[in-house]
Amino acid sequence: MKQKMTLAEKREAAWGWAFIIPTMLGLLILNFYPIFDTIYQSFFKTGDFGLGNVFIGLKNYQDMLFGTGKAELWQSLWNTIKYAIIEVPFSVVISIVLAVFLNRKMKGRSIYRTIFFLPMVCAPAAVAMVWKWLYNQQFGLLNNVFHTNVAWISNPNIAWICIGVIGVWSIIGYNMVLFLGGLQEIPGDYYEAARIDGASGVRQFFSITMPLLSPTTFFIVQTRIIGALTIFDLMFMVMDKTNQALNKTQSIVYVFYQYSFTNGNKGVGAAIVVILLVFIMILTVILQKLEKKLVYHN
């Protein structure tokens, strides 16, 4: 027989609900409702002057996947994947190396940590402005230092690589902090025992650090893949609309922005977002399957 709650238990439960209800409302209003509303809008054609949406079923999806917008959608998706291929592995590897070195006792360790984390606290607009100046073909620092005349962000063959470099630089500090947290959870006894057995620093890194750091590594890789696939602000602020390399660098979220807010076709924009959402969900399921094989749980 279920016992009745005492007055103290009721008060405790009430306070618990009082604390979690704002968060639940925030999730429902700011996260879940937009998701369902976006899916709903993807089945409509935006009415003239933004009035009176017309139901058209799957036509937006057909146009983007197989029709007039097919080339632009698949090109933008491929651009986004290429960006992720550069940003994710390079940022993770560099961050691990930095975290390992900055986890040791060394002079000025806090200063170095702060310097590497600074890009995370910089405004995206400021970051874009600085990198556009660095990449400028006529007056840019890179061409002046190396005495070259390279169109870093105007050449379609290399512009996507240059955008990826900015992404790597921007996220290193954030990844590094997460790796530092993971490294500090590894017991020092493991390294002491390895040193007694004569294991070198490299052997300790691959036999102790990497396996025990694999949960943190997998979490960072998974979140960074999702972050890279939803990149927008970097392309939007670095690449001008008149840039001849825009078609080879614009992300799928950039294309969504163009359709929804520049062309005023929110139905097609919503369909693009749903397609991206399905793609990310499939990728997430695959990553979750791989977690059981790749992640070492102590």
Side-chain angles (χ1 to χ4, degrees):
M1 183 176 179
K2 188 176 180 181
Q3 295 181 349
K4 292 184 178 180
M5 295 177 63
T6 63
L7 182 60
E9 290 174 338
K10 289 180 179 180
R11 288 178 179 176
E12 185 178 355
W15 276 109
W17 281 106
F19 280 114
I20 66 172
I21 283 176
T23 301
M24 293 175 63
L25 289 175
L27 288 172
L28 290 173
I29 296 172
L30 301 177
N31 292 82
F32 293 108
Y33 171 74
I35 291 174
F36 291 109
D37 186 60
T38 299
I39 296 173
Y40 174 78
Q41 288 190 32
S42 68
F43 299 108
F44 288 82
K45 178 183 181 299
T46 304
D48 295 333
F49 305 105
L51 301 174
N53 292 342
V54 179
F55 180 78
I56 56 174
L58 297 174
K59 189 175 186 307
N60 288 329
Y61 294 97
Q62 293 172 349
D63 289 343
M64 295 309 299
L65 291 172
F66 312 108
T68 56
K70 177 180 70 174
E72 187 175 23
L73 176 72
W74 292 114
Q75 180 63 54
S76 64
L77 181 59
W78 174 235
N79 295 340
T80 310
I81 293 173
K82 288 194 299 182
Y83 172 82
I85 290 173
I86 292 179
E87 193 229 272
V88 177
F90 282 97
S91 66
V92 169
V93 171
I94 295 173
S95 299
I96 290 178
V97 174
L98 289 175
V100 169
F101 280 109
L102 295 179
N103 193 45
R104 299 177 177 180
K105 292 182 179 180
M106 57 182 294
K107 189 176 181 180
R109 181 174 63 175
S110 298
I111 297 175
Y112 288 121
R113 288 180 179 180
T114 303
I115 291 173
F116 285 115
F117 190 75
L118 275 178
M120 282 300 302
V121 299
C122 295
V127 171
M129 181 179 67
V130 170
W131 278 96
K132 285 183 71 174
W133 173 71
L134 291 173
Y135 283 142
N136 188 279
Q137 185 173 0
Q138 295 180 326
F139 312 106
L141 181 63
L142 291 179
N143 281 335
N144 277 275
V145 168
F146 297 110
H147 304 289
T148 55
N149 188 34
V150 179
W152 299 100
I153 56 175
S154 299
N155 185 341
N157 295 323
I158 63 173
W160 63 279
I161 300 176
C162 296
I163 296 294
V165 170
I166 304 176
V168 172
W169 176 84
S170 301
I171 202 64
I172 282 177
Y174 176 76
N175 291 349
M176 182 193 70
V177 170
L178 295 179
F179 278 125
L180 281 170
L183 287 170
Q184 291 171 6
E185 292 296 321
I186 301 176
D189 297 342
Y190 293 166
Y191 295 103
E192 185 176 350
R195 284 193 294 269
I196 293 174
D197 291 338
S200 64
V202 175
R203 180 64 182 273
Q204 292 176 36
F205 177 78
F206 286 104
S207 299
I208 300 175
T209 304
M210 288 306 299
L212 295 179
L213 203 61
S214 59
T216 304
T217 304
F218 185 83
F219 169 78
I220 293 175
V221 169
Q222 187 171 7
T223 54
R224 285 318 313 153
I225 288 175
I226 296 174
L229 292 176
T230 55
I231 188 71
F232 166 72
D233 51 356
L234 194 58
M235 278 78 169
F236 180 76
M237 288 182 283
V238 173
M239 304 298 294
D240 298 323
K241 292 183 179 180
T242 57
N243 194 321
Q244 60 184 356
L246 179 62
N247 183 56
K248 297 296 183 180
T249 57
Q250 63 181 358
S251 65
I252 190 169
V253 179
Y254 187 97
V255 175
F256 149 75
Y257 172 84
Q258 292 294 328
Y259 274 98
S260 296
F261 300 103
T262 302
N263 302 336
N265 196 338
K266 292 181 173 58
V268 174
I272 293 173
V273 171
V274 173
I275 292 170
L276 177 61
L277 176 63
V278 172
F279 179 74
I280 292 176
M281 289 177 64
I282 294 172
L283 194 59
T284 302
V285 171
I286 295 173
L287 290 172
Q288 291 298 321
K289 296 291 185 182
L290 291 174
E291 180 183 10
K292 298 177 181 178
K293 299 181 180 179
L294 300 178
V295 176
Y296 173 81
H297 294 283
N298 188 13

